[in-house]
Amino acid sequence: MPAEAPVAPAPPSVAAAPDPVATPSRGPGPVARLQRRLQVRAARTRRTVRRLAQAAAQAWRSSLHVRIGAITMVVAGTVVVIVSMVLFSQIRDQLLSVKRDAAIDQAQAGVVYARDEVAGIATGDSASLRATLDRTVQGLKSRAGSAGDFDVVMVHRTGDRELPAGRRAVFTALPDELRAGVASGGQFSQYALVPDTDGEPQPTLLIGAPVTVDTVADERVDLYYAFPLDQEQESLSRIRSTVVISGVALTLFVVGIGVLVTRLVVDPVRRAAGTAQRLAEGQLEERMAVRGEDDLARLATSFNAMADSLQRQITQLEGLSQLQQRFTSDVSHELRTPLTTVQMAAEVLHESRGDFPPHVARSAELLHAELDRFESLLTDLLEISRYDAGAAVLDWEPTDVGALVRRVTGDLSALAAMHDCELRVSGPAQPVIAEVDARRVQRILRNLVGNAIEHGTGRPVEITWAANRAAVALTVRDFGVGLSPAEVQHVFDRFWRADPSRVRTVGGSGLGLSISLEDARLHGGWLQVWGSPGLGAQFRLTLPLTAGAELTSSPLPLRPAIVRRPGGAA
């Protein structure tokens, strides 16, 4: 392989000389870029975690499978963990107990052997002592037992001087508690970490016992056995792995069974829910498939019977509704021609009432007034028939809502004066222009304000309007008898009156609020009501500023901010 040519270093003057002209920074330094990158990565991680949490929460709320599977996994996993811990603890205790019993038996036999070997030891002769101890240690190591591999350490003590024989690392690792116990004259055992031949600490069972004790010369010989627990540790590791794998497999098996059983029950319920939804959407021919003769089959049979009954009743109601709508439309149109003729004759009589006797003149006035009421009723019926036939259309035009409100209140000022009612109007000073059908919105306001005057029992009526970027809202508030929760549910029903015994002076057909609701819906708006007995009522009309726009909120609240009792007290 050819040698590479050496590269000549740059001259020191060129490499080390600083640029006398400072160059402007082209961007943040590497530390700032790294911090920015870490912040972006942390933000991305938070967003990912948040999305996963939201998806999990949505799955938990919407899926019975997920809930059953999660609950089964938690319960089964808890049971498996507890059983595995108890089982593993028992196996470990049994394994260590067998090891300890075998080690104690071998240590006791070793004490007897060592006592015979050191019986004639020469006191004070260090060479003889070491030779005897080493020979005894080798002899003890050659005496294999059922406890497995082991190390032997013998310690000769004379006063404070110790002469150990055996592996030095074992002697150094002997715990002080164990040595103190053996020094007291008994046999003791203890678990400790003892370095192996490679110097790695290993769990070890240590057993110590005195061999000889000379109380006169303060001389003694102690014997220590070290039984490594690496084989037991390996066995426990394999057992632990087996228990963990078995526990996980058992948990997944139980979860699978739970999900399978849940699916067998939930799938028919889901099919029933889908069929019910399609029935609600108008597909009256939808039915559930009946399989077998179990509880789910009986549920499907009962569901189909209910669907048959509902279909018959809905069909009958649709026929009656169509008949009613056709009857209303036909009667309204048929009565229009004779009504026009009668009105012309009544108008002649009304204009000539001055030439009649008083009772005849009064009759002419009543005839004229009642014909006007009859014409109003026919107009309402014709309007309802147009809505039922889907023939109602809007005449969009930009309209000043404030001017429309003032025109309606001006038209109803005579009615308000007759009921001794004050009309209070409030709204923004600047014009509020909305694309609406002015005739229909004016009709809505007339109905709302007229009802408020009649039911306000002489107390003030407040008319307020406001607008935001997308919508305009108008509220009509009275402080009269109010509405109960049950009445609020029916206030927009056709021909419904809160108090049928009252003598009404405006309309009287019971169709005004129904037509107003249809007018609001035709605009894509809302007509809502709040009421409380004794506290009055408030109607809120919300319309989009632009034709065809969709509403999301209203500029005015439906419930008054301060609910005042009649008389002004809050």
Side-chain angles (χ1 to χ4, degrees):
M1 185 173 181
E4 296 181 357
V7 179
S13 59
V14 177
D19 189 357
V21 180
T23 59
S25 175
R26 296 185 178 181
V31 175
R33 289 196 299 270
L34 178 60
Q35 291 178 348
R36 177 61 179 169
R37 192 179 300 114
L38 292 177
Q39 292 175 354
V40 172
R41 186 172 301 173
R44 188 182 298 117
T45 302
R46 287 194 298 269
R47 288 195 298 269
T48 302
V49 172
R50 190 181 301 111
R51 285 196 297 268
L52 292 176
Q54 292 175 351
Q58 178 64 25
W60 176 269
R61 290 192 300 268
S62 61
S63 176
L64 186 59
H65 281 165
V66 173
R67 289 201 298 271
I68 295 297
I71 293 173
T72 305
M73 179 175 292
V74 171
V75 174
T78 303
V79 173
V80 168
V81 168
I82 293 175
V83 172
S84 300
M85 292 177 62
V86 172
L87 181 62
F88 182 77
S89 178
Q90 292 179 349
I91 294 175
R92 181 193 59 193
D93 293 344
Q94 184 66 23
L95 191 62
L96 294 179
S97 177
V98 171
K99 178 76 172 183
R100 187 171 180 277
D101 293 342
I104 289 175
D105 292 340
Q106 186 169 350
Q108 290 176 349
V111 169
V112 174
Y113 173 80
R115 186 176 294 122
D116 295 338
E117 290 294 321
V118 300
I121 192 170
T123 305
D125 187 353
S126 299
S128 176
L129 283 174
R130 182 172 296 279
T132 302
L133 294 176
D134 290 340
R135 184 180 65 253
T136 305
V137 168
Q138 294 301 322
L140 291 172
K141 286 185 176 181
S142 63
R143 297 168 59 89
S146 59
D149 296 337
F150 61 93
D151 275 324
V152 178
V153 173
M154 294 186 69
V155 181
H156 179 270
R157 296 181 180 178
T158 305
D160 295 333
R161 188 171 62 88
E162 294 182 338
L163 179 62
R167 197 155 62 91
R168 185 71 181 180
V170 177
F171 171 74
T172 305
L174 292 176
D176 295 336
E177 297 84 354
L178 178 63
R179 300 178 66 177
V182 174
S184 65
Q187 177 177 293
F188 290 88
S189 62
Q190 187 174 345
Y191 294 100
L193 293 177
V194 176
D196 57 8
T197 54
D198 297 329
E200 295 293 332
Q202 296 293 336
T204 305
L205 173 61
L206 299 173
I207 298 179
V211 176
T212 61
V213 178
D214 189 348
T215 58
V216 177
D218 194 16
E219 181 180 4
R220 60 184 299 115
V221 177
D222 297 333
L223 176 62
Y224 296 94
Y225 275 84
F227 295 92
L229 300 176
D230 51 351
Q231 295 181 355
E232 286 74 16
Q233 188 175 12
E234 183 178 356
S235 299
L236 289 175
S237 178
R238 287 197 298 266
I239 293 172
R240 184 186 296 109
S241 301
T242 303
V243 170
V244 170
I245 295 174
S246 302
V248 172
L250 180 60
T251 302
L252 295 178
F253 179 71
V254 173
V255 171
I257 292 177
V259 172
L260 178 61
V261 173
T262 305
R263 182 175 182 180
L264 294 176
V265 177
V266 170
D267 283 352
V269 177
R270 286 182 174 175
R271 289 195 295 269
T275 305
Q277 183 176 1
R278 289 189 291 272
L279 283 172
E281 293 172 354
Q283 303 178 24
L284 301 180
E285 295 79 12
E286 285 290 330
R287 297 294 183 270
M288 290 185 61
V290 180
R291 299 184 180 91
E293 300 178 357
D294 55 7
D295 295 334
L296 295 176
R298 287 193 290 274
L299 172 63
T301 303
S302 301
F303 185 91
N304 292 339
M306 179 189 68
D308 292 335
S309 176
L310 289 176
Q311 184 178 13
R312 288 193 300 270
Q313 296 180 19
I314 291 175
T315 303
Q316 293 175 359
L317 291 175
E318 287 179 348
L320 292 175
S321 177
Q322 292 176 0
L323 179 62
Q324 178 187 4
Q325 294 173 12
R326 186 166 59 252
F327 174 78
T328 302
S329 178
D330 293 344
V331 169
S332 301
H333 283 88
E334 292 298 330
L335 290 177
R336 173 63 66 182
T337 300
L339 177 62
T340 303
T341 304
V342 174
Q343 275 186 317
M344 292 174 60
E347 188 68 27
V348 173
L349 294 175
H350 187 264
E351 291 178 356
S352 304
R353 66 185 183 277
D355 301 332
F356 300 151
H359 65 282
V360 178
R362 178 58 180 165
S363 298
E365 293 176 354
L366 292 176
L367 177 62
H368 185 270
E370 292 304 319
L371 284 174
D372 288 342
R373 289 170 59 85
F374 189 39
E375 183 183 15
S376 176
L377 173 60
L378 281 180
T379 302
D380 290 345
L381 290 174
L382 285 173
E383 192 69 22
I384 285 293
S385 65
R386 292 191 189 98
Y387 281 116
D388 292 337
V393 293
L394 292 177
D395 185 12
W396 304 97
E397 60 178 347
T399 303
D400 186 352
V401 177
L404 194 64
V405 172
R406 287 187 289 270
R407 183 161 60 248
V408 170
T409 54
D411 294 341
L412 295 176
S413 58
L415 178 65
M418 186 173 62
H419 285 80
D420 195 20
C421 172
E422 178 188 0
L423 298 180
R424 299 175 179 175
V425 181
S426 62
Q430 63 275 17
V432 176
I433 307 299
E435 294 181 0
V436 296
D437 187 331
R439 180 182 65 86
R440 295 181 184 274
V441 175
Q442 183 173 343
R443 180 168 59 190
I444 296 174
L445 288 177
R446 284 184 61 87
N447 286 328
L448 298 181
V449 176
N451 285 338
I453 292 173
E454 286 202 337
H455 294 87
T457 62
R459 297 181 177 89
V461 173
E462 298 177 352
I463 301 100
T464 307
W465 77 93
N468 56 21
R469 295 181 179 179
V472 58
L474 303 99
T475 60
V476 178
R477 170 83 160 98
D478 68 75
F479 300 92
V481 296
L483 294 169
S484 66
E487 292 173 338
V488 168
Q489 299 297 324
H490 300 284
V491 71
F492 295 110
D493 293 349
R494 297 180 182 181
F495 304 105
W496 182 87
R497 293 182 183 177
D499 187 0
S501 63
R502 290 178 56 87
V503 177
R504 297 174 56 88
T505 57
V506 177
S509 65
L511 295 173
L513 290 179
S514 300
I515 295 174
S516 299
L517 180 62
E518 295 295 341
D519 284 336
R521 289 175 176 173
L522 199 61
H523 283 82
W526 306 330
L527 182 57
Q528 300 160 298
V529 60
W530 167 89
S532 180
L535 298 179
Q538 176 166 292
F539 286 81
R540 181 182 68 178
L541 173 64
T542 307
L543 301 173
L545 287 177
T546 306
E550 184 176 355
L551 290 179
T552 57
S553 62
S554 179
L556 293 175
L558 176 60
R559 177 184 173 89
I562 300 178
V563 179
R564 293 174 295 189
R565 298 186 179 277

